[in-house]
Amino acid sequence: MGPLQWGDVPTALGTFCAGGAAWFAYQTIKSQRQQIGEQRQFIGEQLQFMAEQQQNLVLEREELRAVAEDRRWDQARRVDVSHMKAAGEPDGQGGVVIDHWLVVVVNRSDAPVHQVEVRFGTAYTASEVHEWNPRRGHPTYEPGERVVAPVHLLGPARAVRFASQRWSSATVHNNRPTVYFTDDAGVRWSRDSRGKLEEVPADEAV
């Protein structure tokens, strides 16, 4: 074995240190890349979770809104105005001369409704309003006591009958009835002779 060449030691140490530094740098970069990958995966999972939560919240809000809207319409739907009849007097020949409207309004909800009235066409209101027994059915039956229109309060399971003035048959046909009422939450509604229920805009409510 020959003598140690001290001149090569610094070179060898430098090479060894450089290799060690390179290996350490490589391991550091590898570790950082792994951490970045894990962070990206974690962030992606969190973003996906947040998106799913947001979607669930939107669906829950829509469902709650639909339930609230259905509840808001519920009482109005239970105000029965199905008994609308164009009535008249016998003509002596087996027929009837149609000359007025009869409209029975029945509150089938479990809360009172307010300011109940009927308009015929755009210009006419009821000439007579009477209490009505909702079990009697046909609106031409004899009514109860007379009341004032608009009916301030109509309680649950109560009914009233509105009668128009007497007109010609053509005027009766051209002035179909529309019922107006305010539910127990203060919302104004209308239901026409074809059964269409609508909320009355605040600036049109009376």
Side-chain angles (χ1 to χ4, degrees):
M1 184 174 178
L4 181 61
Q5 301 294 322
W6 290 103
D8 295 333
V9 172
T11 302
L13 286 174
T15 302
F16 176 78
C17 290
W23 180 86
F24 180 78
Y26 169 76
Q27 293 298 324
T28 300
I29 293 172
K30 180 180 178 182
S31 176
Q32 289 176 344
R33 286 177 177 174
Q34 183 177 355
Q35 289 177 2
I36 291 171
E38 291 174 352
Q39 289 175 352
R40 286 177 176 173
Q41 181 179 357
F42 176 77
I43 292 171
E45 291 173 351
Q46 291 298 307
L47 290 175
Q48 183 178 358
F49 174 76
M50 292 172 63
E52 292 173 353
Q53 289 294 99
Q54 183 67 25
Q55 185 177 8
N56 290 338
L57 287 173
V58 170
L59 293 175
E60 287 176 4
R61 289 195 194 101
E62 290 177 353
E63 184 177 353
L64 289 173
R65 189 179 299 113
V67 170
E69 185 71 6
D70 185 68
R71 188 182 298 115
R72 195 171 71 89
W73 283 70
D74 183 61
Q75 186 186 17
R77 293 192 186 105
R78 297 189 187 188
V79 177
D80 182 0
V81 297
S82 59
H83 296 293
M84 291 186 179
K85 180 177 176 59
E89 300 293 336
D91 61 3
Q93 300 178 359
V96 175
V97 178
I98 299 299
D99 62 2
H100 68 287
W101 283 99
L102 295 175
V103 178
V104 176
V105 180
V106 185
N107 181 9
R108 301 192 186 281
S109 75
D110 56 2
V113 292
H114 311 269
Q115 299 299 113
V116 184
E117 62 177 326
V118 177
R119 299 179 196 170
F120 302 91
T122 58
Y124 302 101
T125 57
S127 64
E128 293 183 4
V129 186
H130 291 84
E131 291 184 349
W132 183 257
N133 185 340
R135 293 188 294 273
R136 299 192 68 179
H138 203 282
T140 57
Y141 293 162
E142 190 67 24
E145 294 184 6
R146 189 164 182 169
V147 295
V148 177
V151 179
H152 176 67
L153 186 146
L154 186 63
R158 302 295 297 274
V160 285
R161 192 192 75 174
F162 296 81
S164 72
Q165 57 188 281
R166 295 181 183 272
W167 300 304
S168 68
S169 295
T171 304
V172 171
H173 177 77
N174 292 328
N175 290 277
R176 301 182 68 86
T178 300
V179 176
Y180 292 85
F181 61 92
T182 301
D183 66 20
D184 204 38
V187 180
R188 190 72 171 162
W189 301 89
S190 69
R191 192 189 286 273
D192 65 20
S193 60
R194 295 173 178 81
K196 184 179 181 180
L197 178 67
E198 292 184 304
E199 182 178 346
V200 178
D203 58 350
E204 297 180 17
V206 295

